[in-house]
Amino acid sequence: MIKTLYFMFFVCAFALGLIACNSKAKDNFKNLSADEFERLIQDDDIQVVDVRTVAEYSKGHLGGSININVLDDNFPEVVDDLLEKDHPVAVYCRSGKRSRNAARILNKKGFKVYNMDKGFENWKELGKDIAY
């Protein structure tokens, strides 16, 4: 009897663990390949934001982008001052990790957001235009 209770407890705990792992919140922004991102930012209504550090930005960035470092504590306030909520925002970073974080923050603030999935390094590998 005790073994059966332990077994049932284990099965229930395992099932709850699976449900918890699979119920991760879905991101409310779109991840784009470098090619899709390039087409998107041709639209003048799109606000292009490089969320890397100033040092990274100064070594090369996408033309027409503005630099707002997502790692700065005041990132949420800066985006409120610099970006318009009625225009979509396209974000990128070096590899796509920081920009996903920025996209989540911007999305929570009410922006429509697009993220360059593999980041600026992939953009460069594909031989796309870079500004300095």
Side-chain angles (χ1 to χ4, degrees), residues 106-120:
L106 290 165
N107 188 258
K108 284 180 185 175
K109 293 178 123 330
F111 290 92
K112 181 172 183 170
V113 185
Y114 299 91
N115 175 54
M116 183 165 41
D117 192 32
K118 295 181 183 172
F120 190 66

Side-chain angles (χ1 to χ4, degrees), residues 46-110:
I46 302 294
Q47 304 171 96
V48 183
V49 180
D50 183 321
V51 298
R52 300 175 298 158
T53 65
V54 173
E56 290 172 299
Y57 184 82
S58 67
K59 292 178 184 174
H61 54 272
L62 301 187
S65 65
I66 61 171
N67 182 225
I68 309 172
N69 184 356
V70 70
L71 299 178
D72 285 345
D73 290 337
N74 62 346
F75 177 80
E77 292 80 25
V78 173
V79 298
D80 285 339
D81 291 340
L82 296 179
L83 302 177
E84 299 176 35
K85 283 195 179 162
D86 57 338
H87 294 283
V89 179
V91 294
Y92 71 94
C93 66
R94 185 182 59 79
S95 66
K97 184 176 179 182
R98 286 176 284 175
S99 59
R100 273 190 285 282
N101 184 37
R104 288 183 189 107
I105 294 167
L106 290 165
N107 188 258
K108 284 180 185 175
K109 293 178 123 330

Side-chain angles (χ1 to χ4, degrees), residues 9-76:
F9 174 77
F10 174 76
V11 169
C12 289
F14 182 75
L16 285 173
L18 283 177
I19 291 169
C21 288
N22 288 328
S23 64
K24 187 172 96 172
K26 179 160 173 38
D27 289 328
N28 290 321
F29 58 87
K30 186 158 174 101
N31 285 304
L32 303 175
S33 69
D35 290 334
E36 293 169 321
F37 199 84
E38 183 177 37
R39 285 190 293 276
L40 175 74
I41 63 175
Q42 299 305 311
D43 184 340
D44 291 335
D45 279 347
I46 302 294
Q47 304 171 96
V48 183
V49 180
D50 183 321
V51 298
R52 300 175 298 158
T53 65
V54 173
E56 290 172 299
Y57 184 82
S58 67
K59 292 178 184 174
H61 54 272
L62 301 187
S65 65
I66 61 171
N67 182 225
I68 309 172
N69 184 356
V70 70
L71 299 178
D72 285 345
D73 290 337
N74 62 346
F75 177 80

